[in-house]
Amino acid sequence: MSELHAVAHKMVEKGKGILAADESTPTCAKRFASINTDSTTESRNFYRNMLFTTEDIEKYISGIILFDETFHQSELSSGIKFPEYLSSKNIIPGIKVDQGLEDFSPYEKLTKGLDGLSERLGKYYALGARFAKWRAVITPGDSIPTNDCILANAKNLAKYAKKCQQANLVPIVEPEVLMDGVHTIDESFEITSRTLKMVFDQLDEHNVSLQGIVLKPNMILSGYECSYQASIEEVAEKTVNCLSAHVPSEVPGIAFLSGGQSDEDATLHLNEMNKYETDWNLTFSYGRALQQSALKAWSGKKENVTDAQEAFIEKAKANSLATVSGL
Ligand code: 5MM
């Protein structure tokens, strides 16, 4: 097995999932504002350090997605850079390489970051990264998403994925159909199907090795403002059906984003989906659903570190159990 394929398999190993800790500086500022804490280089380093040094984290977390700033920061007690520190704990360091969103049209977004990407990927690999992440955002709404926007995002995802593999990094391919909105679960199903179809067509067109990627999709659920909210069982069934129709069996694993669901729902949905027989491992790559309770417990105070780490490991463990329907 090539290094690329081996890393992809390890990222989605049964019983483990990925921690998305790649909030950009503006997003981090928003998260910290919710707990009345200033977002500074130091406070962000402290917070990430708190999560990454949690006892037993390596039992449940296979890899961590870092933001560029964190990638160059260090574990506080040893001074060892985070990529090296995580590798020493058998956690694979990853890096967010997209450069955010630009307007595709007044209501739709296109993810940017292809300029100079190959050079950046080479540097990240040399410094210890073994996978990368690129998130495309697809917005449900009146007459959107358009096929033009989905296609433009799918092309960029495929170009990014190819460049990653050429640099020996596993690409996390993340086409996120947003969960906010009044759309029904069936509309989410239709939009996600259209999106996945175009993404896999483009990956094929760009000769991306499917055994060397990890797909990070949304689950299919009722928009948060929809009057009918689908049950856990319906979400699991529709999500698995949609993925089965579009995701080739060579893909080693699917690591879902949480997308603003409650922590409990994100875990229950994953647990329910793992009751199905599927071709790929189904796991998590959560940001908010793994961090929310820890962030709140921490509230920016040093004396709360132990409570925050307990809250974090509890979520990591619950989602680990959900990858084997073990709740
Ligand atoms: C952690 O948040 C990620 C980056 O956000 P910004 O670039 O907007 O700051 C985000 O891409 C995240 O990795 C995924 O959406 C998964 O996180 P959630 O919270 O949806 O599980």
Side-chain angles (χ1 to χ4, degrees):
M1 201 191 283
S2 70
E3 179 190 349
L4 211 55
H5 297 174
V7 171
H9 275 88
K10 204 173 158 198
M11 286 164 68
V12 294
E13 182 182 329
K14 272 280 163 221
K16 292 191 185 182
I18 298 164
L19 167 65
D22 59 315
E23 294 85 359
S24 56
T25 306
T27 302
C28 216
K30 264 192 247 163
R31 303 272 189 270
F32 282 21
S34 75
I35 51 159
N36 296 317
T37 298
D38 286 342
S39 176
T40 62
T41 309
E42 292 74 27
S43 64
R44 292 189 293 271
N45 196 351
F46 184 90
Y47 173 69
R48 264 71 183 245
N49 187 80
M50 177 179 83
L51 295 179
F52 304 167
T53 58
T54 299
E55 197 179 336
D56 287 342
I57 180 178
E58 65 280 5
K59 285 191 186 163
Y60 313 115
I61 300 294
S62 57
I64 299 182
I65 315 171
L66 304 169
F67 185 60
D68 180 76
E69 178 189 64
T70 321
F71 192 85
H72 295 99
Q73 289 179 329
S74 302
E75 194 275 325
L76 291 173
S77 68
S78 62
I80 297 173
K81 297 272 190 227
F82 280 129
E84 194 186 334
Y85 172 78
L86 294 175
S87 302
S88 74
K89 290 185 80 156
N90 199 26
I91 295 173
I92 313 169
I95 178 77
K96 181 227 290 292
V97 296
D98 68 63
Q99 294 180 320
L101 309 173
E102 62 187 10
D103 286 339
F104 178 77
S105 67
Y107 303 106
E108 296 186 284
K109 301 285 181 198
L110 180 65
T111 304
K112 58 184 179 183
L114 289 172
D115 288 348
L117 179 60
S118 296
E119 200 188 328
R120 286 191 286 131
L121 294 173
K123 287 188 185 151
Y124 285 131
Y125 184 92
L127 293 171
R130 289 297 174 266
F131 70 91
K133 185 199 110 169
W134 177 290
R135 169 176 173 253
V137 174
I138 307 296
T139 313
D142 280 346
S143 310
I144 55 171
T146 59
N147 284 341
D148 285 352
C149 180
I150 299 176
L151 183 61
N153 273 295
K155 280 183 194 264
N156 280 3
L157 273 170
K159 286 179 192 160
Y160 139 83
K162 187 67 197 171
K163 285 178 192 293
C164 283
Q165 293 190 337
Q166 285 165 340
N168 252 322
L169 290 159
V170 172
I172 291 187
V173 174
E174 180 178 1
E176 174 174 6
V177 176
L178 295 179
M179 296 169 180
D180 315 83
V182 294
H183 55 277
T184 63
I185 187 167
D186 290 332
E187 284 164 338
S188 172
F189 186 99
E190 187 279 320
I191 296 167
T192 307
S193 299
R194 214 164 8 125
T195 302
L196 290 176
K197 164 99 180 69
M198 287 197 210
V199 167
F200 280 97
D201 282 353
Q202 287 303 315
L203 292 173
D204 184 46
E205 190 120 318
H206 289 80
N207 290 316
V208 172
S209 163
L210 296 183
Q211 292 170 64
I213 72 163
V214 170
L215 179 69
K216 175 166 173 170
N218 52 287
M219 298 176 193
I220 293 177
L221 30 86
S222 315
Y224 295 136
E225 285 85 46
C226 180
S227 53
Y228 167 76
Q229 290 292 310
S231 65
I232 301 289
E233 291 77 15
E234 189 178 356
V235 167
E237 186 188 353
K238 291 202 161 139
T239 305
V240 170
N241 285 347
C242 180
L243 293 169
S244 300
H246 297 289
V247 184
S249 57
E250 297 97 294
V251 173
I254 295 178
F256 291 100
L257 59 95
S258 58
Q261 301 175 64
S262 69
D263 305 355
E264 290 74 20
D265 281 357
T267 307
L268 291 173
H269 286 144
L270 181 62
N271 191 65
E272 194 64 28
M273 282 189 274
N274 271 298
K275 293 180 182 167
Y276 289 79
E277 277 285 313
T278 57
D279 289 333
W280 353 261
N281 279 350
L282 293 179
T283 186
F284 56 93
S285 174
Y286 296 160
R288 283 162 287 179
L290 281 173
Q291 294 185 52
Q292 249 150 208
S293 54
L295 188 71
K296 218 168 147 201
W298 174 50
S299 290
K301 298 194 172 75
K302 281 200 170 100
E303 61 270 28
N304 293 338
V305 163
T306 307
D307 287 352
Q309 289 182 325
E310 274 170 16
F312 171 62
I313 206 72
E314 194 185 300
K315 294 295 167 199
K317 188 174 179 186
N319 285 296
S320 155
L321 288 170
T323 67
V324 288
S325 279
L327 284 181

